[in-house]
Amino acid sequence: MTPLDPVSPTDPDVPADLADAPETRGAEPAPAPWGPATGVGSLPGADPVEALRVVIGELPEFAHLPELPGRGPGADLVGRSAALLVDLAVELTPAGWRLVPRPGIDQRRAEELLARDLDALHEVAGGWTGPFKVQAAGPWTLAAGLERTRGDRAVVDPGARRDLAQSLTEGLAAHVAAVRARVPGAQVVVQLDEPWLPAVLAGALPTASGFGRLPAVEAPVVEQELAAVVGALLGPVVVHCCADRAPLGLFRSAGADAVSFDLGLVQDLDALGTAVEAGTHLVPGVVPGTDAPLPAPKATASRLRAWWRELGFPAERLHEAVTLTPSCGLAGATPGHARLAMTHVREAARYLLPE
């Protein structure tokens, strides 16, 4: 067992089809499951049972395991993802999360929070069937968010990056197995969140002291190391980045089955067109992740049709090519706006269906 105590494919309680699951994505015969609308990941609040009930109620065709960073340290993106790591330990410092020789109270708290989410999943969604998404920091964002024991971010150390990526991949595989054991009807989709990857490419990450900037990492290196993680995960993988200058072409080249982005920030339509032609699914964020007035769902659908025409593809392909989401996570929104945003993307997706 990993520190999370997930259910592994060899545990007696795991269904037989899980125990016999193939080891690589290349052996997965089924097509990637996509629903018309889903969430990015995070929500306001601190109750995982209530959060799951809201998600399943508002996104009945493609739900996800909510992240609740409002619960505090260990529920944030880096701490929650670090709880998945196998044979690597972290602790929380005043400057953030840091790799350490052995686990302590901070890591145990992060693991316990994630274990509670899995308990809530079994309670609320044990009978779910269809696509179901889980999220974690991608290898570059995780390496950018963790300091090495002797200081500075792990992203500057190729050896540390390699160890983190391998550990994350193993931990994600165990996490997916745990979700499948609790929800046997789920077709699990893994989302890798890479909000800091544009800063890695641009050399915009601050040093530990805050007085300098870390050197940029070349795009071929970023792509190669991201591809190693994507390629090792079983089942469909979405790579998400709602930051400006999201490298969507790099995500596609790294093997992502889908790319998730803030539609309002994308300027490189050629990269999106190439992705569609290559069969990559698109997950555009179409409404704000924080409180703001929302247009009518039909107006959002009209905006998407205009964007699709600009890409140059037939209108009848649109509803199958996209899954709508809020533009980013909803942790910074009020509960009312978070629910409205999920309702909005679900209803806007219905207007994309052919008449």
Side-chain angles (χ1 to χ4, degrees):
M1 290 287 189
T2 69
L4 277 180
D5 195 31
V7 179
S8 75
T10 56
D11 287 338
D13 293 334
V14 177
D17 61 335
L18 223 179
D20 295 333
E23 294 293 330
T24 63
R25 296 179 69 232
E28 180 77 6
W34 308 113
T38 190
V40 171
S42 66
L43 289 178
D47 184 344
V49 170
E50 176 61 21
L52 263 170
R53 286 175 176 155
V54 170
V55 167
I56 288 173
E58 300 298 334
L59 301 167
E61 295 179 79
F62 192 1
H64 65 282
L65 186 63
E67 303 160 358
L68 302 173
R71 291 184 289 182
D76 58 292
L77 176 62
V78 173
R80 181 180 177 86
S81 302
L84 293 168
L85 295 175
V86 176
D87 296 330
L88 291 177
V90 297
E91 70 177 9
L92 190 60
T93 74
W97 290 95
R98 178 175 64 183
L99 290 162
V100 291
R102 59 189 61 84
I105 188 172
D106 298 321
Q107 183 162 345
R108 286 195 295 272
R109 172 180 167 80
E111 292 165 358
E112 288 167 1
L113 289 171
L114 194 50
R116 289 176 200 164
D117 292 347
L118 292 174
D119 291 341
L121 179 63
H122 179 69
E123 176 183 342
V124 176
W128 175 272
T129 57
F132 188 89
K133 184 164 63 69
V134 298
Q135 307 82 216
W140 286 97
T141 290
L142 189 58
L146 287 173
E147 288 189 5
R148 298 178 295 174
T149 305
R150 58 182 179 273
D152 231 331
R153 300 174 189 253
V155 73
V156 302
D157 184 337
R161 293 200 310 259
R162 181 182 61 251
D163 292 345
L164 272 173
Q166 292 174 349
S167 178
L168 175 65
T169 303
E170 186 177 347
L172 274 169
H175 184 50
V176 168
V179 170
R180 284 177 171 167
R182 288 160 175 81
V183 191
Q187 298 169 286
V188 182
V189 176
V190 174
Q191 176 179 301
L192 299 176
D193 290 322
E194 288 286 10
W196 294 341
L197 201 149
V200 170
L201 290 166
L205 284 174
T207 59
S209 68
F211 294 111
R213 293 289 182 269
L214 298 177
V217 182
E218 295 181 353
V221 175
V222 171
E223 180 185 322
Q224 180 181 16
E225 296 187 18
L226 179 60
V229 175
V230 172
L233 292 172
L234 176 65
V237 176
V238 182
V239 181
H240 166 75
C241 180
C242 56
D244 197 11
R245 304 186 309 279
L248 302 181
L250 186 152
F251 296 161
R252 179 191 60 79
S253 298
D257 298 286
V259 292
S260 174
F261 52 91
D262 181 344
L263 184 62
L265 295 179
V266 172
Q267 298 178 345
D268 188 358
L269 293 182
D270 289 340
L272 287 177
T274 301
V276 174
E277 290 172 346
T280 304
H281 194 72
L282 303 184
V283 187
V286 296
V287 292
T290 53
D291 288 37
L294 300 181
K298 190 172 183 179
T300 296
S302 296
R303 173 190 172 205
L304 279 158
R305 288 196 192 95
W307 164 75
W308 189 250
R309 285 196 300 270
E310 192 173 356
L311 287 178
F313 294 106
E316 61 270 17
R317 291 183 57 189
L318 173 57
H319 73 287
E320 295 179 343
V322 300
T323 294
L324 306 188
T325 68
S327 61
C328 210
L330 295 167
T334 60
H337 177 80
R339 187 186 289 267
L340 283 174
M342 288 185 282
T343 303
H344 185 99
V345 295
R346 184 190 74 232
E347 294 182 351
R350 290 177 181 168
Y351 284 107
L352 300 181
L353 293 172
E355 297 180 356

